[in-house]
Amino acid sequence: MPAARHTLLLTCVLALLGSLLMACSALPNISVNGTPITNSQNSANGSDQQLNVWQTVSPGIELRYERWKGPSTNEDTMVIVRMNPAQIHLSVHYQPTQPLSVREWTKETGAHVLINGGYFDNNNHPTGLLVSNSEVHGQSYSAFGGMLSVDSQGNIRLRSLSAHPYDPDNEQLQQATQSSPMLIENGQRTQFNANGATERRTIVAQDKQGRLLFIISSGVSFSLDETADLLASSDLSLQTALNLDGGASTGIYVKDSANNEKVTIDAITALPIVIAVK
């Protein structure tokens, strides 16, 4: 092989390796029980965790890992947090001019569980209605999507905005974040139009017993259609489920009642909107 051609080939190989290394550096920081994990495909990373068993991490809050498999070879270890609404306090936090990482938000809020919220635009403004400690931002979606909210009596509700539109004249919300699409309604998988791209996923749900669930897939593993199918076929007995802002925004933090870190999956991007539970 001529020397010039050999040099060109070597340069191309080195450039390719460099690009792969740069891509790896963009992976989120992930840890379980305080141990850093660098491969986002390991997700929540129940490789050394007991699967399919609920563990109580603090009063009214349980943590579980499940290995979910898609229709082909795609699979991921899901982080699932289940909460009794009567034993928790839920709040939505919003800082458009000072978005923070999951770890930074956790320190600021003192949350026992924290996840990313609904969609936001390039200016960090919510694309739907957002209510943070009674302060209203944005405009409600009309006849699509869903909303997680807390009313003036402290009741937590997850609902479809098509079936139950927001009524600003008769609703006094303390907290709210909106997103789309609804994935489960009335215990049934919904139908929606979405591309087939796989992404990191953040889901908020309520089961048929009224418990609130946060469900995280931190691997780039499932499309929205696959996610809806997996939720519907799971043993979580879901009544409603709403897709939150996934992709680079997906993140979760869980600690126990002794303030020991159980799971941290940081978002790739800084977050202007988060949901905090104490």
Side-chain angles (χ1 to χ4, degrees):
M1 178 182 294
R5 186 175 177 186
H6 181 274
T7 301
L8 179 60
L9 178 60
L10 179 60
T11 300
C12 291
V13 171
L14 290 174
L16 176 60
L17 290 174
S19 65
L20 290 173
L21 290 172
M22 288 178 66
C24 290
S25 69
L27 295 176
N29 295 320
I30 302 174
S31 66
V32 175
N33 295 332
T35 302
I37 296 171
T38 57
N39 182 357
S40 71
Q41 291 300 325
N42 288 337
S43 306
N45 298 292
S47 56
D48 59 348
Q49 303 291 325
Q50 190 171 8
L51 297 176
N52 306 321
V53 175
W54 291 108
Q55 53 176 304
T56 299
V57 294
S58 54
I61 302 176
E62 301 171 286
L63 173 65
R64 179 172 176 166
Y65 303 96
E66 292 187 4
R67 192 71 181 170
W68 286 11
K69 296 183 179 181
S72 56
T73 58
N74 49 333
E75 57 183 282
D76 197 11
T77 299
M78 314 295 289
V79 177
I80 305 172
V81 180
R82 187 172 69 183
M83 295 156 281
N84 182 346
Q87 293 180 269
I88 64 172
H89 176 270
L90 184 146
S91 55
V92 175
H93 298 264
Y94 178 49
Q95 291 185 180
T97 60
Q98 191 182 1
L100 301 173
S101 69
V102 166
R103 288 184 181 274
E104 290 169 334
W105 270 119
T106 300
K107 291 178 181 178
E108 180 158 314
T109 62
H112 279 82
V113 182
L114 186 139
I115 63 168
N116 61 287
Y119 294 115
F120 53 91
D121 63 21
N122 291 334
N123 296 314
N124 291 333
H125 297 153
T127 62
L129 178 72
L130 185 142
V131 182
S132 176
N133 299 316
S134 301
E135 189 172 305
V136 178
H137 306 268
Q139 299 292 323
S140 178
Y141 294 155
S142 177
F144 75 97
M147 178 170 70
L148 174 68
S149 64
V150 182
D151 66 18
S152 57
Q153 285 76 47
N155 300 309
I156 298 173
R157 183 184 182 189
L158 178 64
R159 79 199 210 210
S160 162
L161 292 168
S162 296
H164 304 283
Y166 170 64
D167 182 358
D169 296 327
N170 295 300
E171 293 189 63
Q172 294 181 336
L173 300 181
Q174 301 294 313
Q175 319 287 340
T177 185
Q178 296 184 346
S179 192
S180 67
M182 292 294 299
L183 303 175
I184 302 288
E185 290 185 46
N186 299 317
Q188 302 295 317
R189 186 223 195 273
T190 62
Q191 300 299 318
F192 50 83
N193 294 320
N195 64 42
T198 58
E199 259 300 355
R200 291 152 54 94
R201 301 293 175 196
T202 303
I203 309 298
V204 60
Q206 279 190 309
D207 65 17
K208 294 177 181 178
Q209 289 72 47
R211 293 169 296 195
L212 184 70
L213 294 94
F214 295 158
I215 303 169
I216 297 290
S217 169
S218 64
V220 183
S221 303
F222 306 121
S223 69
L224 275 177
D225 274 309
E226 290 171 335
T227 302
D229 287 339
L230 290 165
L231 290 169
S233 64
S234 74
D235 64 354
L236 297 175
S237 187
L238 298 181
Q239 180 70 11
T240 56
L242 172 65
N243 177 65
L244 294 177
D245 188 11
S249 295
T250 287
I252 188 170
Y253 177 89
V254 182
K255 69 179 180 180
D256 64 19
S257 53
N259 290 324
N260 297 311
E261 179 183 309
K262 303 298 290 184
V263 180
T264 300
I265 298 174
D266 215 340
I268 296 171
T269 187
L271 301 172
I273 305 168
V274 295
I275 303 166
V277 171
K278 293 183 181 178

